[in-house]
Amino acid sequence: MGLELRDSPVLGRQDAPLTMIEFTDYQCGFCRRFHVNTFPEIKKKYIDAGTLRFASRDLPLSMHKNAFAAANAARCAGEQAKFWELRDVMINNAANLGAPAIVGYADGLKLDPARFRPCLDSMKYKAQIQKDMHEAEEVGLDATPSFLLGWTTARGVEGKFLVGAHPLATFEQAIQEMLRGRP
């Protein structure tokens, strides 16, 4: 299965042999578990080492009333090169993502409120978030976090899906299997 990166925020080297795309929901407790327990080690061992690039896509679930607005907020923060910082704060505070809290997090990150708040209020990135949601649906994803892990291609990634907040060992095994079977 393959996906394009399109406008997804990306961490890591463009020439990394492997790419992982995460479909996330900012209010998802399982996404938070992955972010807190597993992602730091993946970042240190694979992203920072140049083996893996990591992309973030949005899959706000309908049961989470603030997830869609949080996804928009992260993209608005990206306009000021603070996507990953706001993403981190929001995932760590998944139970507190109402509009006042998000504005407070943005203020704490020193985002320019004259740029951030109009972007937030207008839901500027609604169409892009819906496009991520539609693409997830097309490939059968309906839970978060969900990941596509595979070989880096010119436009994205070609690989296999992992669904759920798996422990680090599961991701390491999949990464090592792919590296051993290098095309």
Side-chain angles (χ1 to χ4, degrees):
M1 176 61 60
L3 292 174
E4 292 182 14
L5 288 180
R6 294 189 334 261
D7 61 348
S8 301
V10 176
L11 285 176
R13 292 179 24 184
Q14 187 174 353
D15 65 345
L18 299 177
T19 296
M20 182 161 53
I21 298 174
E22 177 188 11
F23 284 87
T24 195
D25 173 315
Y26 289 95
Q27 282 189 276
C28 165
F30 295 106
C31 296
R32 183 179 183 284
R33 182 186 310 163
F34 167 78
H35 183 76
V36 170
N37 297 333
T38 307
F39 181 73
E41 286 298 311
I42 289 174
K43 184 175 184 313
K44 183 171 73 176
K45 289 182 176 184
Y46 300 103
I47 298 169
D48 294 346
T51 305
L52 179 74
R53 67 180 174 170
F54 183 87
S56 180
R57 298 281 280 277
D58 296 307
L59 184 54
L61 304 175
S62 61
M63 70 179 120
H64 295 138
K65 70 177 185 166
N66 295 317
F68 198 101
N72 184 69
R75 289 173 186 245
C76 291
E79 292 180 357
Q80 298 180 49
K82 295 279 187 169
F83 171 85
W84 294 102
E85 291 87 343
L86 187 58
R87 179 184 193 270
D88 183 61
V89 171
M90 290 192 301
I91 289 175
N92 280 307
N93 293 282
N96 189 17
L97 293 179
I102 289 174
V103 169
Y105 304 144
D107 289 346
L109 293 172
K110 307 287 190 240
L111 290 171
D112 177 0
R115 292 175 54 205
F116 181 74
R117 290 185 184 145
C119 180
L120 190 66
D121 293 342
S122 70
M123 292 301 288
K124 181 177 179 179
Y125 292 98
K126 181 179 180 180
Q128 288 93 328
I129 295 164
Q130 288 173 327
K131 190 171 185 177
D132 281 358
M133 294 168 68
H134 179 70
E135 190 165 27
E137 183 181 319
E138 283 183 334
V139 297
L141 299 178
D142 61 2
T144 56
S146 290
F147 306 88
L148 175 60
L149 172 64
W151 292 104
T152 299
T153 65
R155 298 174 61 159
V157 59
E158 192 71 40
K160 66 177 184 175
F161 286 104
L162 295 163
V163 178
H166 296 282
L168 177 63
T170 301
F171 289 99
E172 286 186 313
Q173 180 180 354
I175 290 168
Q176 293 307 318
E177 285 175 5
M178 288 190 169
L179 290 173
R180 279 193 300 274
R182 185 171 258 160

